[in-house]
Amino acid sequence: MEIITSKAALTEHINALIESKKVIGFVPTMGALHDGHLQLVKRCVSENDVCVVSVFVNPTQFNDKHDLEVYPRNVEADAQKLAAVGCAILFSPTPEEMYTEEERNTTFEFDFGGLDKVMEGKQRPGHFNGVVQVVSKLFKLVRPTRAYFGEKDFQQLAIIRRMVDLMNFEIEIVGCPIVREESGLALSSRNALLSEAERKTAAKIHAVLAESVQFLSQTSLEELRSAVVNAIDATDGLKTEYYAIVDGKSLRELDNWNQSDDIVGCITVHCGNVRLIDNIRYK
């Protein structure tokens, strides 16, 4: 596996691959890799000639400097995991390599069509501007045929699909199912910040979501939303930030089950000092 830290060296490698007519697959990550990431990489390896993975903690998508500082980082361990599952190129640049000072200090403008005004976007202003900024840069560098994203970050996936359409990238966006621990807790790099006791507590999030699916036929949407929030907040150590039941494409919050044939419940919960996201499909 090649480990590359500069845009120039990456471009040289990509040019050679394209000249050789290799099909490139790409998995963008912020590192602290877990089995959820590795499932994306394994699928990428199996469906393309070459798998490229980026490990880059992107500063422009953090509106909380403390969150950026404590975000887990371990590039050496990440490299070992990636080599073991067949990744061909690891791109791990510094912020200075990826951005000019002006880019780091200027909000990236993008027409989100309202996708950034709800859920994570509402709670974290500017977050998705940074996501689109970095992913569009990486797409231009890697020039993949396919790019792989986890469905745990459901809103991000919807925004990436819009970005591909608006920026005319000829890239297939592949959404991959959430990978969970045996307890049901969605795998996340942030789980590394949880104590063992908190990990057990956090498993309640998925347990409540999974149970809620059983009550669709007999409960109104608003009643179900309230029941999920109340059940999670009744657990010591958990506090719901938001729970939105939305149309899976527009992310518009719904009032009843008949408004859409594509319905997803998206939640963010604080477990101690750690902010966790998850979702469940209802339709």
Side-chain angles (χ1 to χ4, degrees):
M1 183 179 73
E2 294 274 352
I3 300 177
I4 297 173
T5 58
S6 76
K7 291 185 291 187
L10 179 64
T11 298
E12 185 178 335
H13 275 74
I14 296 298
N15 285 343
L17 290 170
I18 290 174
E19 285 174 15
S20 302
K21 301 192 183 305
K22 299 293 186 184
V23 176
I24 300 170
F26 179 46
V27 183
T29 82
M30 293 210 300
L33 302 182
H34 51 66
D35 194 51
H37 294 114
L38 298 181
Q39 291 300 320
L40 301 182
V41 176
K42 288 175 184 176
R43 182 166 176 183
C44 181
V45 168
S46 71
E47 294 179 354
N48 304 276
D49 297 324
V50 177
C51 171
V52 179
V53 176
S54 62
V55 169
F56 178 62
V57 181
N58 176 38
T60 68
Q61 70 188 68
F62 286 83
N63 55 343
D64 181 340
K65 289 184 179 179
H66 176 71
D67 200 17
L68 174 60
E69 289 167 2
V70 302
Y71 197 88
R73 297 166 172 85
N74 194 334
V75 177
E76 280 126 16
D78 291 342
Q80 291 177 355
K81 292 175 182 177
L82 291 171
V85 294
C87 173
I89 296 174
L90 165 58
F91 180 50
S92 182
T94 63
E96 292 74 23
E97 178 68 17
M98 281 299 290
Y99 294 117
T100 64
E101 187 173 349
E102 181 180 356
E103 285 175 325
R104 290 182 67 179
N105 295 311
T106 305
T107 299
F108 184 81
E109 296 298 329
F110 181 73
D111 176 12
F112 291 93
L115 293 178
D116 63 326
K117 301 301 183 188
V118 298
M119 298 190 301
E120 290 297 288
K122 187 175 181 181
Q123 302 297 326
R124 304 169 69 188
H127 167 69
F128 287 117
N129 300 77
V131 170
V132 171
Q133 181 181 33
V134 73
V135 175
S136 61
K137 274 179 167 285
L138 289 167
F139 279 1
K140 289 171 186 175
L141 286 167
V142 177
R143 289 177 280 166
T145 297
R146 302 180 188 90
Y148 297 78
F149 294 82
E151 291 179 349
K152 179 174 73 69
D153 297 291
F154 192 82
Q155 186 172 7
Q156 173 179 277
L157 182 56
I159 285 170
I160 294 298
R161 293 189 192 282
R162 179 175 175 83
M163 181 197 81
V164 165
D165 288 341
L166 290 189
M167 293 188 173
N168 297 313
F169 285 112
E170 294 184 1
I171 299 172
E172 178 188 351
I173 301 301
V174 182
C176 301
I178 298 172
V179 179
R180 300 184 182 277
E181 297 182 1
E182 283 188 23
S183 68
L185 177 63
L187 292 186
S188 169
S189 299
R190 295 175 188 270
N191 292 358
L193 303 173
L194 297 170
S195 68
E196 281 304 311
E198 286 174 332
R199 287 175 93 96
K200 292 177 182 176
T201 300
K204 179 74 171 179
I205 301 168
H206 177 64
V208 170
L209 292 178
E211 185 180 14
S212 73
V213 176
Q214 302 173 32
F215 298 100
L216 294 192
S217 61
Q218 60 204 66
T219 310
S220 73
L221 188 148
E222 185 54 44
E223 287 171 336
L224 189 75
R225 181 161 40 208
S226 296
V228 165
V229 172
N230 291 339
I232 288 174
D233 289 354
T235 303
D236 285 344
L238 296 183
K239 178 62 180 174
T240 305
E241 183 175 299
Y242 68 81
Y243 183 50
I245 301 177
V246 302
D247 177 85
K249 295 183 179 62
S250 70
L251 305 185
R252 177 175 56 91
E253 285 209 56
L254 303 175
D255 297 316
N256 64 71
W257 300 115
N258 297 321
Q259 283 183 292
S260 174
D261 293 323
D262 182 2
I263 301 179
V264 179
C266 298
I267 197 163
T268 290
V269 178
H270 292 265
C271 181
N273 295 319
V274 183
R275 189 175 185 273
L276 301 171
I277 66 173
D278 204 342
N279 62 73
I280 193 93
R281 179 165 289 283
Y282 288 122
K283 278 190 185 181

